[in-house]
């Protein structure tokens, strides 16, 4: 993707949105009355002369649209939508936030933003489309002074609406300004938005995060953190959020704790929140603990105040954080991600052994599980597939169609490792099965005598509504086929998944604390609406038609 960064347009809940600008100065958000409608702006109006009833969801002439989004190889894995960071009490807050977002880049590669609080108590923000290193420069970070900051990286498949939806969002309301960065997905988003619009709210984006700002602004609770509690009590679904005001940093996690959020502290006393501990490690912050499900943490000049004010039922943490999303060097939900994946590989070797000469991984997410499999099986682990780290989501295909072009761009087989060998290839998951079948073909073309696939997760049979972008259930191959049928479709000699019961047994007493909805279809928070917004922003930006006109981003 071309490096495209821009200063964010204001998300003031009461004002006409600013046009996107390449001006190098950050916007300054001042106190303004809430919900004063503009006579010239109707966000959900479809009367614009240049608009149509809906936007194409995957193909767009907009330069910000990933041109390769239709390629199956790019849609094969579930995608974590976001990563968040919050820092309080460090004069280098924006630069530390920048580094922490680098560490969380795997959680979102298509947009990034930082909000800081200046000495005169003004919230300033810079956001842009692209990688963290593309959005920010030394000059831009110089425009973000202050010792309080929040940051966000995001994944989205949106086209022209992408920049508008890049977080953190900042809004002015009657008591000041507030910024928010959100990781998760709300299952009652459409009802909340419809109710707010019925009462006069004007929306500037298609993100469910903006709903939270509206709920905070209309709340009559005092003090500020009680407004957050009041708003969160109306939310259903997954949310790990960090808020910033003129003098406070607030972290909150939904009552089920679907998405991770941890707290750490630097040697100078600065408090840090992040989606994963790998971000703490990079900026030399010591991990202290998780933000507990249902907990609100308020950080200000008086220190850290813990408020467990929301009802918190049994935790339902996302098991896919340990299977795929998080980096192996992170501690997530109190467990080492590396150790979890290594054990998953060991279990596969114990439960689904096969005579083989070499164990390889689908890089990078299958590497640790493959190491565990090889160690348990007593077979050498080797790099049979080399991943290119220079392939983005946009490329030019040759006019002469090359079979498996997308996979070949990313993965190159090593013939010296594979030729004449019985190969076990370990991957973290199978979603649609398209990439797996192409990988098997690559291995056979490189001379592999046998190809045995081992998958370090149970079969995925259901969509996720809690901040993970997964296909609809009828697109999931394990929802349509048996293991034997998938094996035939992929073309491997044998196929085995991690047993669901064995996975739960390994987790022991903690097994009840995890969400397995993608494996079982049993949702801890059942969607109350006929359609639920998928992870990522598939709908338009609200300027060219109502959300009821957009079908591609919703699952029943």
């Amino acid at each position: 993707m071309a490096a495209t960064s821009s200063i964010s347009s204001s998300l003031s809940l009461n004002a006409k949105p600013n046009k996107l600008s390449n001006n190098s100065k950050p916007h300054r958000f001042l106190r303004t009355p809430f919900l004063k409608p503009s006579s010239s702006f109707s966000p959900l109006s479809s009367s614009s002369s240049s608009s149509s009833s809906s936007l194409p969801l995957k193909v767009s002439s907009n330069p910000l649209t990933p041109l390769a989004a239709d390629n199956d190889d790019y849609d094969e894995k579930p995608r974590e939508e976001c990563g968040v960071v919050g820092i309080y009490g460090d004069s280098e807050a924006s630069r530390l936030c920048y580094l922490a977002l680098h560490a969380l880049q795997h959680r979102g590669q298509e947009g990034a933003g930082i909000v800081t609080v200046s000495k005169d108590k003004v919230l300033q923000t810079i956001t842009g489309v692209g990688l963290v290193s593309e959005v920010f420069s030394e000059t831009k970070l110089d425009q973000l002074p202050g010792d309080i900051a929040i940051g966000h990286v995001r994944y989205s498949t949106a086209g022209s609406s992408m920049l508008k939806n890049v977080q953190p969002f900042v809004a002015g309301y009657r008591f000041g300004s507030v910024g928010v960065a959100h990781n998760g997905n709300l299952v009652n988003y459409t009802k909340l938005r419809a109710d707010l619009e019925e009462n006069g709210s004007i929306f500037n984006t298609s993100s469910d995060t903006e709903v939270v700002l509206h709920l905070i602004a209309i709340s009559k609770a005092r003090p500020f953190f009680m407004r957050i509690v009041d708003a969160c009590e109306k939310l259903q679904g997954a949310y790990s959020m960090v808020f910033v005001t003129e003098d406070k940093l607030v972290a909150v996690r939904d009552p089920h704790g679907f998405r991770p959020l941890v707290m750490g502290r630097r040697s100078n006393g600065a408090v840090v929140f992040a989606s994963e501990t790998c971000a703490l490690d990079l900026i030399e912050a010591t991990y202290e603990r998780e933000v507990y499900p249902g907990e609100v943490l308020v950080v200000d000049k008086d220190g850290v105040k813990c408020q467990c004010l929301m009802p918190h039922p049994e935790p339902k943490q996302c098991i896919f954080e340990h299977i795929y999303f998080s980096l192996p060097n992170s501690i997530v939900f109190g467990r080492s991600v590396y150790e979890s994946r290594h054990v998953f590989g060991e279990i596969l070797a114990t439960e689904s052994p096969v005579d083989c000469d070499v164990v390889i991984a689908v890089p990078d997410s299958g590497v640790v599980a493959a190491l565990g499999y090889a160690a348990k099986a007593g077979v050498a682990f080797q790099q049979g597939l080399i991943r290119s780290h220079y392939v983005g989501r946009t490329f030019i295909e040759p006019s002469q169609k090359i079979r498996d072009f997308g996979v070949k761009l990313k993965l190159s087989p090593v013939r010296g490792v594979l030729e004449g060998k019985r190969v076990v290839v370990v991957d973290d998951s199978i979603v649609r099965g398209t990439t797996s079948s192409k990988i098997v073909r690559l291995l056979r073309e490189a001379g592999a005598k046998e190809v045995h696939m081992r998958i370090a997760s149970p079969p995925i049979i259901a969509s996720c509504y809690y901040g993970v972008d997964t296909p609809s259930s009828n697109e999931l191959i394990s929802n349509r086929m048996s293991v034997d049928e998938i094996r035939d479709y992929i073309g491997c000699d044998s196929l085995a998944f991690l047993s669901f019961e064995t996975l739960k047994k390994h987790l022991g007493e903690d097994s009840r604390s995890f969400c397995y909805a993608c494996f079982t279809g049993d949702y801890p928070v059942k969607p109350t609406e006929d359609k639920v917004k998928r992870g990522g922003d598939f709908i338009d930006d609200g300027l060219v038609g109502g959300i009821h006109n957009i079908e591609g981003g919703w699952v029943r």
Side-chain angles (χ1 to χ4, degrees):
M1 179 183 298
T4 309
S5 62
S6 173
I7 310 302
S8 169
S9 62
S10 169
L11 185 65
S12 176
L13 299 183
N14 57 351
K16 186 164 58 178
N18 297 329
K19 293 181 180 180
L20 301 183
S21 170
N22 290 323
N23 190 335
S24 61
K25 294 183 179 179
H27 285 282
R28 297 166 67 85
F29 295 89
L30 304 176
R31 296 189 178 195
T32 50
F34 175 63
L35 289 181
K36 180 180 178 182
S38 166
S39 60
S40 62
F41 174 60
S42 178
L44 293 184
S45 170
S46 58
S47 60
S48 172
S49 60
S50 62
S51 68
S52 60
S53 62
S54 64
L55 284 176
L57 295 173
K58 287 190 176 182
V59 180
S60 172
S61 60
N62 190 291
L64 303 183
T65 304
L67 300 180
D70 285 327
N71 191 304
D72 285 338
D73 305 328
Y74 287 82
D75 295 328
E76 178 64 13
K77 296 293 183 185
R79 300 181 193 273
E80 231 292 346
E81 191 180 350
C82 303
V84 300
V85 176
I87 298 172
Y88 183 96
D90 197 298
S91 59
E92 295 288 310
S94 64
R95 281 170 167 75
L96 293 173
C97 196
Y98 166 82
L99 293 172
L101 292 178
H102 260 296
L104 297 176
Q105 187 75 86
H106 60 286
R107 300 184 76 88
Q109 298 88 46
E110 297 188 9
I114 294 175
V115 172
T116 60
V117 183
S118 65
K119 289 183 179 179
D120 53 355
K121 305 301 181 184
V122 174
L123 272 61
Q124 302 183 104
T125 182
I126 292 177
T127 62
V129 173
L131 301 175
V132 175
S133 59
E134 295 172 328
V135 173
F136 295 100
S137 63
E138 189 77 23
T139 301
K140 287 185 177 179
L141 291 174
D142 285 340
Q143 299 169 37
L144 294 172
D147 61 359
I148 311 175
I150 62 172
H152 190 269
V153 289
R154 81 188 295 266
Y155 153 73
S156 169
T157 58
S160 60
S161 66
M162 187 184 296
L163 182 58
K164 187 182 290 287
N165 286 313
V166 174
Q167 298 182 34
F169 293 157
V170 177
Y173 74 119
R174 56 181 172 164
F175 292 113
S177 298
V178 57
V180 60
H182 170 212
N183 176 26
N185 204 50
L186 306 179
V187 302
N188 62 336
Y189 161 72
T190 52
K191 184 179 187 306
L192 290 173
R193 176 164 174 159
D195 290 345
L196 287 163
E197 288 173 336
E198 182 71 22
N199 290 309
S201 293
I202 294 175
F203 283 79
N204 193 39
T205 77
S206 60
S207 171
D208 50 4
T209 309
E210 191 178 358
V211 165
V212 181
L213 290 174
H214 281 271
L215 292 174
I216 290 172
I218 65 175
S219 171
K220 300 186 185 304
R222 301 289 293 272
F224 173 73
F225 80 88
M226 285 303 299
R227 290 176 173 272
I228 294 177
V229 173
D230 190 32
C232 288
E233 286 177 346
K234 298 177 178 65
L235 307 179
Q236 296 175 18
Y239 52 90
S240 287
M241 296 184 284
V242 287
F243 296 86
V244 64
T245 68
E246 290 93 336
D247 60 352
K248 289 179 176 60
L249 176 66
V250 182
V252 60
R253 199 162 163 222
D254 70 76
H256 287 282
F258 286 107
R259 309 253 64 85
L261 190 62
V262 297
M263 181 177 76
R265 201 178 300 262
R266 284 173 47 80
S267 58
N268 62 358
V271 177
V272 181
F273 297 103
S275 292
E276 292 182 38
T277 59
C278 61
L280 305 182
D281 296 338
L282 181 59
I283 62 174
E284 297 181 340
T286 302
Y287 168 70
E288 290 193 355
R289 67 176 180 87
E290 288 187 303
V291 176
Y292 302 128
E295 183 177 30
V296 180
L297 288 175
V298 182
V299 189
D300 58 20
K301 60 183 178 59
D302 297 322
V304 181
K305 303 183 187 69
C306 308
Q307 307 287 345
C308 292
L309 297 179
M310 291 187 291
H312 42 284
E314 191 172 63
K316 292 297 178 185
Q317 303 158 145
C318 177
I319 188 60
F320 242 85
E321 292 287 349
H322 277 266
I323 290 170
Y324 176 68
F325 297 133
S326 299
L327 285 186
N329 59 315
S330 285
I331 306 294
V332 175
F333 308 138
R335 289 174 170 265
S336 163
V337 175
Y338 187 98
E339 291 178 7
S340 292
R341 293 179 187 171
H342 200 275
V343 169
F344 296 161
E346 293 176 0
I347 293 171
L348 281 170
T350 302
E351 292 192 335
S352 306
V354 65
D355 291 335
C356 63
D357 304 307
V358 64
V359 176
I360 69 170
V362 177
D364 292 319
S365 55
V367 169
V368 180
L371 288 168
Y373 188 103
K376 193 69 173 179
V379 178
F381 168 82
Q382 295 195 50
Q383 284 188 282
L385 288 169
I386 306 299
R387 179 188 174 196
S388 170
H389 293 272
Y390 305 101
V391 178
R393 288 176 59 87
T394 302
F395 54 77
I396 300 171
E397 285 203 50
S399 56
Q400 176 69 39
K401 186 68 176 177
I402 296 177
R403 189 174 73 168
D404 305 335
F405 177 72
V407 167
K408 287 179 178 178
L409 271 178
K410 295 192 294 182
L411 299 174
S412 302
V414 182
R415 183 173 291 273
V417 171
L418 303 168
E419 193 166 23
K421 303 288 181 60
R422 298 168 297 175
V423 179
V424 167
V425 54
V426 181
D427 202 356
D428 61 275
S429 60
I430 294 181
V431 182
R432 290 189 177 93
T434 52
T435 296
S436 298
S437 64
K438 294 172 183 180
I439 288 172
V440 170
R441 264 203 307 271
L442 283 183
L443 298 177
R444 292 200 187 281
E445 289 170 358
K449 182 180 177 181
E450 297 175 9
V451 178
H452 303 273
M453 288 210 71
R454 296 295 179 265
I455 308 302
S457 69
I460 301 173
I461 66 167
S463 296
C464 177
Y465 299 125
Y466 309 129
V468 179
D469 179 19
T470 51
S472 58
S473 295
N474 60 4
E475 296 177 78
L476 299 169
I477 192 169
S478 292
N479 190 46
R480 297 182 288 108
M481 298 183 185
S482 67
V483 174
D484 287 342
E485 288 171 332
I486 297 172
R487 180 200 64 210
D488 293 340
Y489 174 83
I490 290 173
C492 55
D493 293 282
S494 72
L495 170 66
F497 291 84
L498 181 68
S499 163
F500 178 58
E501 291 304 321
T502 305
L503 170 62
K504 292 179 67 176
K505 183 178 179 181
H506 162 68
L507 295 172
E509 294 181 357
D510 293 338
S511 64
R512 296 176 58 186
S513 299
F514 284 90
C515 174
Y516 310 105
C518 55
F519 304 141
T520 65
D522 182 16
Y523 295 100
V525 179
K526 291 182 172 57
T528 57
E529 301 168 354
D530 180 54
K531 292 182 180 180
V532 176
K533 185 168 170 287
R534 278 166 56 167
D537 291 311
F538 283 79
I539 65 175
D540 71 340
D541 60 7
L543 297 177
V544 290
I547 58 177
H548 61 280
N549 291 323
I550 309 298
E551 294 295 328
W554 303 77
V555 290
R556 291 189 178 275

